[in-house]
Amino acid sequence: MKKIKFTFFFSWSIAFLLITIIGFIPTFLMRPLFRESSLPIYLIVHGILMLIWFSGYFIQNLLVAKGKLLDHRNFGIFWFLLAILMALGNLNVVLNIANEVATGEPTYFGKVRTYENSGGLVIGNLYITVFSSMFILLAYLKRLKPKAHKRAIFGASFLLLTPAFDRFIRPFGLPEIFQYVGSFIIPISLVVYEILRNRKIHPMTVLVLAVTALMIPVLMSIMNNDLYIKNIIEFLG
């Protein structure tokens, strides 16, 4: 039996999966114990895909940690198909929420979504969907270049984790600022890892950091313009 090497990416794959599971316990996995309302189909599908994605991310990193690179590559086609489903599932969530805002119909939790209370949710999830899909595509294109490939997958997984991280901190009663601190610590840890291990930063890491750094300024610039929010939501909805 080969010894498992707890590398940077394998360690984070464990953390990502745990954050997702813990965050999903009150809102998805054991929802009847914590919530009175049930979830619509589009969110159930999204939740299932998220759990499969981070389970798959962990398993793929585990195979690498065990030195089973051939098995890792053989599972690649299933990983890519899952990535496509993830992108479509995320887009479906964005479209459904945008439609709920645009039509003003009561949601599954009994309240009406408005541009004010849900505009940021639509724009934020759209940003995550677009750029996580971009990193997934880059990971596929760079599948024969391990360094670029695993950093692109890491970037995609980090972005997909961002909404789950919000749910993860709620049971602990932590201030909302911890969501942003946690979100930025993850890509920054990649930069620190690069410097300590390689004495230089990989171009894919620079791209991950750039997407992270631009997230809040881009979202805030859109959210501060009512016309932008309304046009985007009406287009999507």
Side-chain angles (χ1 to χ4, degrees), residues 40-41 60 71 76 109 172 178 198 217 226:
I41 294 298
Q60 285 290 77
D71 291 338
F109 52 90
F172 300 101
F178 276 84
N198 304 316
D226 294 338

Side-chain angles (χ1 to χ4, degrees), residues 132-160:
S132 63
S133 299
M134 178 193 77
F135 280 121
I136 287 169
L137 178 59
L138 287 173
Y140 176 75
L141 296 174
K142 300 292 184 179
R143 62 191 181 279
L144 299 180
K145 297 181 178 181
K147 289 184 177 181
H149 172 77
K150 59 188 177 183
R151 284 162 176 78
I153 287 291
F154 179 86
S157 297
F158 151 69
L159 287 172
L160 294 170

Side-chain angles (χ1 to χ4, degrees), residues 157-170:
S157 297
F158 151 69
L159 287 172
L160 294 170
L161 184 75
T162 304
F165 196 86
D166 172 50
R167 300 181 185 92
F168 169 73
I169 67 172
R170 290 179 192 174

Side-chain angles (χ1 to χ4, degrees), residues 17-89:
L17 181 57
L18 289 176
I19 289 171
T20 304
I21 292 174
I22 293 172
F24 273 18
I25 286 175
T27 60
F28 183 59
L29 295 174
M30 301 179 68
R31 187 179 180 85
L33 299 179
F34 297 89
R35 302 284 194 278
E36 294 183 358
S37 60
S38 57
L39 291 174
I41 294 298
Y42 73 88
L43 286 179
I44 293 175
V45 171
H46 170 70
I48 292 172
L49 288 173
M50 283 283 287
L51 288 170
I52 295 175
W53 173 270
F54 285 107
S55 297
Y57 184 59
F58 163 72
I59 292 170
Q60 285 290 77
N61 276 280
L62 177 61
L63 290 174
V64 174
K66 286 184 173 181
K68 297 183 178 181
L69 298 181
L70 183 59
D71 291 338
H72 175 86
R73 294 191 185 100
N74 288 338
F75 281 121
I77 183 63
F78 300 105
W79 178 256
F80 183 63
L81 292 175
L82 174 60
I84 294 175
L85 290 176
M86 271 296 302
L88 293 175

